[in-house]
Amino acid sequence: MKRDNSVRKLLGAVSRFFLFFLLVAFLITCCMMLFISTLQGTLAHRFTADELASAAKITMANVILITLVFTLIDGIRRKYTVERPVKRITEATEKMIRGDFSVRIPVGTKFATDNSFNEVIRCINQMAEELSGVETLRNDFIANVSHEMKTPLSVMHNYGTLLQAPGLSEEKRLEYAKAVTEASGRLAKMMTNVLKLNRLENQQIFPQATAFDLSEQLCESLLHFESVWEEKNIQVQTDIAESVTVFADGELLQLVWNNLLSNAFKFTPEGGAVTLSLTADEEYATVKIVDTGCGMTPQVGAHIFEKFYQGDTSHATQGNGLGLALVKRVIEIIHGQIAVQSEVDVGTTFTVKIRRNTSEKAG
């Protein structure tokens, strides 16, 4: 490989030498012919063949010397302004091909390299930085998915083994079967959320905006949790403005309300309260979901929209840390806004603002 590179460099140097030779020979020959012609006319002197032959030899020597100087200067220029940056770029990209995205190429000085190479280097450095971030996220995602899958799989395995015990009572059999069902349901829900989040982040889901009654959708979403609030004796309060129409993707928004309400009821203790309100003006519809749950510290609140993040580990078996990541991505896709306020042992408030007519704003 090195020998081939050396041969290519030698051939390149030879070709540049002949190119400069032809250029210099042409320019000097033209200049000499013009000079001799003018000199003969001015001095009325006719040059002999020997004089012209001698001048031609000197001119040829000068042409060769100037060509060599030009080739040397061009070689030095190419070495510092072309070959060095190309070598740095090649070495860096080879490392990136092998999976090393920490590599960064130093940008050359203004006089040491062509600025075009600096632009290429900046783009490669930016690409390496982005790939490094993606690789980190991918590794974290795989690690988190693997970790989250281990718990339900272990539960299913353990209870499945217990179900095989001889002489198992009907009560125990139902208890173990229920545990297996719940664990498999949790695993299926996690896989569904992973697929949804992947499609959302890769923009494989495109919003299908239609006009619909947000008030009615919120009421229907709340009623899905009726059995939960009755079981935990949670007081539900509503202040929903009637006939609030928005122009958005109703299916995606349903995902938002289901996740936010699910969290509100999950973190609200028995005898607590959950409040759902909807207000609207000409530009925005504002939804607030307030609970009297355990609340969050500012440190936890700063990470709640990250994938697999669970600030309250006491409720880890009830979720997989993907719900709020889905909510955040949906809100971004429909160009809405979401904010959270929380206080430990007081409760949490999620505020979602949706443009009432995204088509007009987009136009």
Side-chain angles (χ1 to χ4, degrees):
M1 188 68 178
K2 291 183 178 180
R3 184 178 180 182
D4 293 340
N5 289 334
S6 300
V7 171
R8 282 198 293 270
K9 287 182 180 180
L10 179 60
L11 292 176
V14 172
S15 63
R16 287 193 297 276
F17 173 82
F18 280 108
L19 180 63
F20 283 127
F21 177 81
L22 293 174
L23 179 62
V24 172
F26 174 76
L27 292 176
I28 290 183
T29 300
C30 291
C31 290
M32 286 299 297
M33 290 178 64
L34 180 63
F35 173 75
I36 291 173
S37 176
T38 303
L39 192 63
Q40 286 185 145
T42 302
L43 299 177
H45 174 73
R46 304 297 297 178
F47 289 97
T48 64
D50 291 337
E51 290 174 332
L52 290 175
S54 178
K57 292 177 182 178
I58 296 173
T59 301
M60 176 59 71
N62 286 331
V63 167
I64 295 174
L65 178 62
I66 293 173
T67 301
L68 287 172
V69 172
F70 279 7
T71 303
L72 180 62
I73 293 174
D74 182 64
I76 296 172
R77 179 193 66 83
R78 286 180 60 84
K79 182 176 180 61
Y80 286 96
T81 63
V82 178
E83 291 179 5
R84 280 193 174 182
V86 167
K87 183 180 180 181
R88 291 201 302 268
I89 292 172
T90 303
E91 290 175 348
T93 52
E94 286 176 351
K95 290 181 180 179
M96 290 172 63
I97 290 172
R98 293 193 295 268
D100 180 8
F101 300 117
S102 64
V103 62
R104 298 293 184 272
I105 310 172
V107 177
T109 61
K110 182 177 180 181
F111 300 102
T113 186
D114 191 323
N115 192 55
S116 299
F117 283 111
N118 284 337
E119 291 299 320
V120 174
I121 289 171
R122 291 189 188 97
C123 290
I124 291 176
N125 286 341
Q126 184 177 357
M127 180 179 66
E129 186 174 351
E130 293 293 330
L131 288 173
S132 178
V134 170
E135 182 69 10
T136 301
L137 287 174
R138 186 181 71 87
N139 291 334
D140 289 346
F141 186 78
I142 292 173
N144 285 323
V145 168
S146 301
H147 175 74
E148 290 295 328
M149 288 179 66
K150 284 174 66 177
T151 301
L153 286 173
S154 296
V155 170
M156 292 166 63
H157 178 268
N158 292 336
Y159 281 103
T161 302
L162 291 173
L163 280 171
Q164 299 175 36
L168 193 66
S169 67
E170 183 67 13
E171 182 182 356
K172 287 294 183 180
R173 186 183 65 81
L174 291 175
E175 179 186 344
Y176 297 161
K178 182 181 178 182
V180 172
T181 303
E182 290 176 350
S184 61
R186 182 187 171 203
L187 186 61
K189 183 179 179 181
M190 185 184 70
M191 290 297 100
T192 300
N193 284 340
V194 167
L195 292 173
K196 284 181 180 177
L197 189 58
N198 181 64
R199 292 177 65 191
L200 286 169
E201 291 186 336
N202 289 286
Q203 297 183 343
Q204 295 175 351
I205 295 179
F206 301 96
Q208 301 295 323
T210 57
F212 67 94
D213 191 334
L214 181 59
S215 309
E216 182 178 344
Q217 186 186 59
L218 287 171
C219 291
E220 291 176 352
S221 298
L222 183 60
L223 287 174
H224 289 161
F225 298 91
E226 184 175 5
S227 60
V228 179
W229 82 62
E230 287 182 349
E231 181 182 350
K232 297 179 68 175
N233 193 27
I234 294 174
Q235 183 181 359
V236 176
Q237 301 172 350
T238 59
D239 183 15
I240 301 175
E242 296 182 357
S243 303
V244 176
T245 303
V246 295
F247 190 80
D249 190 313
E251 185 177 347
L252 288 179
L253 278 178
Q254 187 75 57
L255 188 66
V256 171
W257 313 136
N258 287 344
N259 277 286
L260 292 181
L261 287 170
S262 174
N263 275 353
F265 287 115
K266 178 171 69 175
F267 291 105
T268 300
E270 291 190 12
V274 172
T275 302
L276 174 62
S277 65
L278 169 63
T279 58
D281 54 29
E282 292 184 359
E283 187 175 3
Y284 286 101
T286 303
V287 178
K288 286 190 177 182
I289 299 176
V290 185
D291 66 61
T292 58
C294 56
M296 298 177 289
T297 64
Q299 291 78 14
V300 172
H303 299 281
I304 58 172
F305 294 112
E306 296 176 5
K307 292 188 290 290
F308 295 105
Y309 184 80
Q310 293 181 335
D312 182 5
T313 55
S314 65
H315 292 81
T317 57
Q318 301 178 34
N320 47 56
L322 289 173
L324 290 178
L326 281 168
V327 168
K328 178 70 171 177
R329 185 58 185 142
V330 168
I331 296 300
E332 290 174 349
I333 287 177
I334 65 173
H335 305 293
Q337 301 173 23
I338 186 168
V340 59
Q341 292 179 321
S342 188
E343 188 176 344
V344 176
D345 297 329
V346 175
T348 303
T349 300
F350 281 94
T351 303
V352 178
K353 298 182 72 173
I354 305 164
R355 291 187 183 276
R356 298 196 63 184
N357 194 333
T358 55
S359 61
E360 290 181 1
K361 296 300 175 182

